[in-house]
Amino acid sequence: MVNRGGAVFLDRDGTIVEDPGFLHEPEKVKLLPGAAAAIRRLNAANYRVLIVTNQSGIARGDYTVDDYEAVQRRLGELLAAHGARIDGAYFCPHHPQLSGPCDCRKPGLKLFREAAEAFDIDFSRSWWVGDRLSDVQPARLLGGQGILVVTGEGNLHQGQARALGVMVVADLAAAVQEILTTA
């Protein structure tokens, strides 16, 4: 199957990598089992693979934008070692209680719209995959499909996700299998 115009928007922590909480040290980046192979499958199917992540630790002062970028570089290295790549990454550095409301914090749509403009993405052919409801809620608002993975925090949200009609699967590999067989 070859995709035309669609993207897969992935959350990072708890979806692609282990989530130790406020990940900001490159040496602590650990891919979840099967994540690199799943992303490689999306690359082969010509999906744009994009990370959209909330990074409130920046607003909290727990780490800096440079720390975030160092983690992203390490993630890129780990994926490249498995023949996989991320086409773009977008992050919200805000926290509503500390920096006020913003349009970029998921489930806000600003970062997704920026990605769509940069990569000429058709939302109706796109997927949202993450371990929190805020990761997959934009799919409904933008006309795509969401999949909740039960890695990371996903196990805590699967009942709500199912009640909203969101598909729930074990992990990123299972999500990609659904995407490639459904699309």
Side-chain angles (χ1 to χ4, degrees), residues 31-69:
L31 291 171
L32 287 169
I39 292 170
R40 187 176 60 240
R41 290 183 71 199
L42 292 172
N43 298 148
N46 292 324
Y47 274 95
R48 292 287 189 183
V49 180
L50 304 163
I51 292 175
V52 179
T53 179
N54 291 337
Q55 294 294 316
S56 67
I58 295 170
R60 296 171 195 267
D62 294 336
Y63 54 94
T64 66
V65 170
D66 288 342
D67 295 329
Y68 161 79
E69 290 171 350

Side-chain angles (χ1 to χ4, degrees), residues 3-7 121-128 139 142-145:
N3 172 61
R4 305 236 186 273
I121 293 167
D122 179 349
F123 286 135
S124 70
R125 305 182 86 163
S126 297
W127 296 78
W128 281 253
L142 294 171
Q145 297 184 60

Side-chain angles (χ1 to χ4, degrees), residues 19-126:
D19 185 358
F22 301 109
L23 178 61
H24 65 282
E25 298 165 289
E27 65 275 7
K28 291 189 177 177
V29 178
K30 296 195 181 351
L31 291 171
L32 287 169
I39 292 170
R40 187 176 60 240
R41 290 183 71 199
L42 292 172
N43 298 148
N46 292 324
Y47 274 95
R48 292 287 189 183
V49 180
L50 304 163
I51 292 175
V52 179
T53 179
N54 291 337
Q55 294 294 316
S56 67
I58 295 170
R60 296 171 195 267
D62 294 336
Y63 54 94
T64 66
V65 170
D66 288 342
D67 295 329
Y68 161 79
E69 290 171 350
V71 166
Q72 285 300 112
R73 281 191 301 277
R74 180 63 182 145
L75 174 57
E77 292 166 358
L78 292 172
L79 290 172
H82 294 277
R85 73 177 186 290
I86 299 297
D87 295 302
Y90 298 80
F91 71 101
C92 171
H94 307 116
H95 187 284
Q97 295 174 332
L98 300 172
S99 50
C102 66
D103 295 332
C104 60
R105 184 173 176 81
K106 292 184 294 185
L109 305 179
K110 180 182 180 189
L111 299 178
F112 299 105
R113 289 188 172 131
E114 287 177 7
E117 186 174 317
F119 291 97
D120 193 26
I121 293 167
D122 179 349
F123 286 135
S124 70
R125 305 182 86 163
S126 297

Side-chain angles (χ1 to χ4, degrees), residues 140-156:
R140 295 180 79 184
L141 299 170
L142 294 171
Q145 297 184 60
I147 301 176
L148 184 84
V149 294
V150 297
T151 51
E153 298 286 322
N155 199 40
L156 303 174

Side-chain angles (χ1 to χ4, degrees), residues 54 105-108 112 128 131-138 148:
N54 291 337
R105 184 173 176 81
K106 292 184 294 185
F112 299 105
W128 281 253
D131 67 319
R132 296 173 187 253
L133 289 176
S134 61
D135 298 328
V136 299
Q137 286 170 329
L148 184 84

Side-chain angles (χ1 to χ4, degrees), residues 6-30:
V8 178
F9 295 99
L10 300 174
D11 178 53
R12 188 187 75 185
D13 305 338
T15 302
I16 302 171
V17 300
E18 292 180 9
D19 185 358
F22 301 109
L23 178 61
H24 65 282
E25 298 165 289
E27 65 275 7
K28 291 189 177 177
V29 178
K30 296 195 181 351

